[in-house]
Amino acid sequence: MRLLINTLLGLALIGVGSAPASPETAAPRPLLVTVDDLPLTGAAPDSPAERRALTRAHLAALGAQGIRAVGFVTWKNVRGPADVELLKMWLDAGHELGNHSDQHLSYTTTEVEAYRADIEGARARLQELLAHRDRQLRFFRFPFLREGDSEEKLDAMRRYLAESGQRNLAVTIDNQDWSFDRPFVEARRSGDRRRQAEVAADYQSALRLAVRHHEAAGDRLLGRPAPQVLLLHANSIGGSEWPQLFAWLAKNGHRFADADEVLADPAFSDLPRVVAPYGYGLWDRLSQLRDETEAKRAVAALLTTQAEAWTTGDLHAFCAVYADDALFISPSGQTRGRQAVLERYRKRYPDRAAMGTLTLEVIEMRPLSGVEVTPQGDAVPGHVHGLSVAARWTLRYPEKETATGLTLLVLRRDGKAWRIVQDASF
Ligand SMILES: [Zn+2]
């Protein structure tokens, strides 16, 4: 794993040429640190004394850099009154607490009612704790960053969060910090110092890679240095490794900022609607939507050009958008290859009068993309490589009856251009 991560990090750093200027010259970018699954998660210790010591280590690492974090409480991780004291330590240290549910359910596999009840119970409990200090609960974070795998579920939680005054605090730097915790704790328990150091080094590499990747993506999207929200987990490896991580961030062009400053950026004012079974960082979500929108726009333009080519009698231009090996099927049979498709059209429509005026009315477009899994186990949205279009075609003639029918086109991206690879018209 280590070798892989180091290789990836090398590649990412090469790719970073186009991204943020060197840390010495650019203004440091604001970065909000958020910590999920408070008070402690992962392979956390059991004894109250050790749990207290680990929390102290987390708070010391944050405090040393003057970081004001938002910690998200998962009540199933609160083992009793001693753990509630750990939450109070976070508040005493000047951090803000947000709601991260009671049972850390996946919204993808939970019905709306049960999910909302879990979140609302957790909210009420946390608000009670905050009320003692005259503090108001402001933030919520979806467990696994899963916000709904249907429009209805997405809307249900958006409504509930708005009504209950909780703001969904998006993550921009999603990463796999949690996955290093168990190997780290196991190495420490077995006294294997070398292994422990290796896991720690992997943790740092993986986080740097994630920071670089998401920052380059955010900068590309916004066209400026994007503010960031880093996701970390309240685990054992964090207790050891945060000091080094935070020092690296500070040395490499970041300025630790609080929630109010970072969230004031317009990039966070209107979170994108992404219906998906998995959760991603904000820039990944926005990139996915941008890719899909661009693909639809490009294909819509292609269809318009094609209809115009038809209407001017230019069958050659009309067929230019078919792939070399395109398959055309219709009630009369199959035609394979662009040249054969062109010849078929020439035979059926020998002149302009026979061709008439073509309009293509899109019924729907579906960008074809799925979830990719990175070498680190992250789920990220895949690129849009294909797109299907259902449309109605209509041919109008000055002195002949109008002809109309349906078509289903499958297009693939070929470099920058889109090509029809399959066409079923009838
Ligand atoms: Zn969580």
Side-chain angles (χ1 to χ4, degrees):
M1 186 169 200
R2 180 172 197 185
L3 197 78
L4 180 63
I5 285 169
N6 286 340
T7 309
L8 286 170
L9 185 62
L11 290 173
L13 292 177
I14 293 164
V16 157
S18 59
S22 72
E24 301 79 47
T25 55
R29 88 176 61 228
L31 180 139
L32 170 65
V33 175
T34 64
V35 183
D36 282 14
D37 299 315
L38 256 53
L40 294 173
T41 185
D46 292 323
S47 87
E50 281 178 290
R51 291 174 74 78
R52 217 178 157 76
L54 181 51
T55 297
R56 267 201 215 102
H58 288 147
L59 296 174
L62 293 165
Q65 296 281 351
I67 296 170
R68 288 177 63 204
V70 178
F72 284 94
V73 178
T74 301
W75 284 101
K76 77 164 183 179
N77 293 352
V78 179
R79 296 182 179 178
D83 272 10
V84 176
E85 295 305 313
L86 303 182
L87 299 179
K88 290 180 183 165
M89 285 165 65
W90 279 79
L91 292 172
D92 290 339
H95 304 294
E96 183 159 0
L97 294 183
N99 182 13
H100 192 44
S101 86
D102 188 58
Q103 290 298 312
H104 208 275
L105 302 171
S106 160
Y107 197 19
T108 304
T109 54
T110 312
E111 292 307 315
V112 172
E113 275 308 312
Y115 190 79
R116 205 167 32 200
D118 178 86
I119 305 303
E120 173 54 20
R123 183 204 64 79
R125 216 171 148 186
L126 186 55
Q127 182 52 59
E128 200 185 307
L129 180 76
L130 295 176
H132 287 294
R133 292 161 184 253
D134 270 340
R135 303 271 286 267
Q136 190 64 34
L137 174 61
R138 300 197 293 165
F139 299 122
F140 170 73
R141 173 156 297 150
F142 283 91
F144 311 105
L145 308 181
R146 293 176 186 176
E147 300 186 7
D149 59 331
S150 70
E151 298 278 352
E152 296 71 32
K153 285 171 89 171
L154 195 100
D155 284 330
M157 273 307 284
R158 286 196 164 197
R159 254 194 323 270
Y160 160 74
L161 290 176
E163 284 163 11
S164 59
Q166 300 174 83
R167 180 173 180 177
N168 174 14
L169 207 171
V171 168
T172 67
I173 303 174
D174 187 16
N175 62 80
Q176 296 284 300
D177 71 322
W178 56 270
S179 67
F180 298 89
D181 190 54
R182 188 160 296 278
F184 180 81
V185 169
E186 278 168 6
R188 191 167 60 188
R189 272 188 201 140
S190 63
D192 188 343
R193 291 208 160 189
R194 222 185 103 207
R195 173 80 188 126
Q196 196 185 329
E198 271 175 15
V199 177
D202 283 350
Y203 171 93
Q204 298 289 353
S205 297
L207 276 157
R208 290 176 194 187
L209 176 61
V211 168
R212 294 298 197 202
H213 162 77
H214 290 288
E215 286 183 345
D219 291 0
R220 256 196 319 272
L221 268 166
L222 302 188
R224 59 182 165 92
Q228 301 292 341
V229 179
L230 174 65
L231 167 62
L232 294 172
H233 287 86
N235 51 21
S236 301
I237 192 167
S240 293
E241 296 302 312
W242 285 0
Q244 199 185 325
L245 171 67
F246 295 152
W248 179 83
L249 285 167
K251 222 183 294 168
N252 286 275
H254 302 85
R255 178 172 59 76
F256 297 110
D258 66 14
D260 289 310
E261 182 191 338
V262 169
L263 297 179
D265 192 284
F268 295 97
S269 61
D270 206 3
L271 296 181
R273 295 176 61 85
V274 176
V275 174
Y278 294 100
Y280 323 120
L282 179 60
W283 310 137
D284 279 340
R285 288 168 201 250
L286 287 168
S287 300
Q288 179 188 15
L289 290 177
R290 187 200 53 186
D291 282 1
E292 290 182 359
T293 306
E294 276 177 8
K296 286 181 183 174
R297 200 180 294 141
V299 170
L302 176 148
L303 295 179
T304 303
T305 312
Q306 219 190 354
E308 283 167 7
W310 180 281
T311 301
T312 57
D314 190 347
L315 270 179
H316 197 273
F318 178 82
C319 288
V321 298
Y322 283 87
D324 286 345
D325 64 346
L327 175 65
F328 182 94
I329 58 174
S330 71
S332 61
Q334 305 177 20
T335 309
R336 193 176 283 277
R338 186 198 310 131
Q339 193 56 36
V341 171
L342 176 59
E343 277 154 24
R344 179 186 177 279
Y345 276 121
R346 277 193 174 139
K347 219 173 284 170
R348 291 173 72 103
Y349 302 93
D351 51 37
R352 246 188 100 174
M355 290 172 72
T357 302
L358 171 66
T359 52
L360 286 166
E361 186 192 329
V362 173
I363 298 165
E364 69 165 19
M365 286 192 187
R366 295 195 185 194
L368 307 176
S369 63
V371 172
E372 308 283 346
V373 178
T374 69
Q376 294 166 266
D378 264 323
V380 295
H383 293 286
V384 180
H385 294 295
L387 193 146
S388 61
V389 186
R392 170 168 290 283
W393 58 265
T394 304
L395 287 176
R396 289 189 178 82
Y397 302 93
E399 288 159 18
K400 220 165 53 163
E401 217 176 293
T402 296
T404 187
L406 297 168
T407 183
L408 180 65
L409 305 172
V410 177
L411 295 100
R412 280 189 67 84
R413 202 200 296 270
D414 176 12
K416 286 209 162 151
W418 285 87
R419 297 268 176 265
I420 297 172
V421 291
Q422 289 172 316
D423 178 337
S425 292
F426 46 92

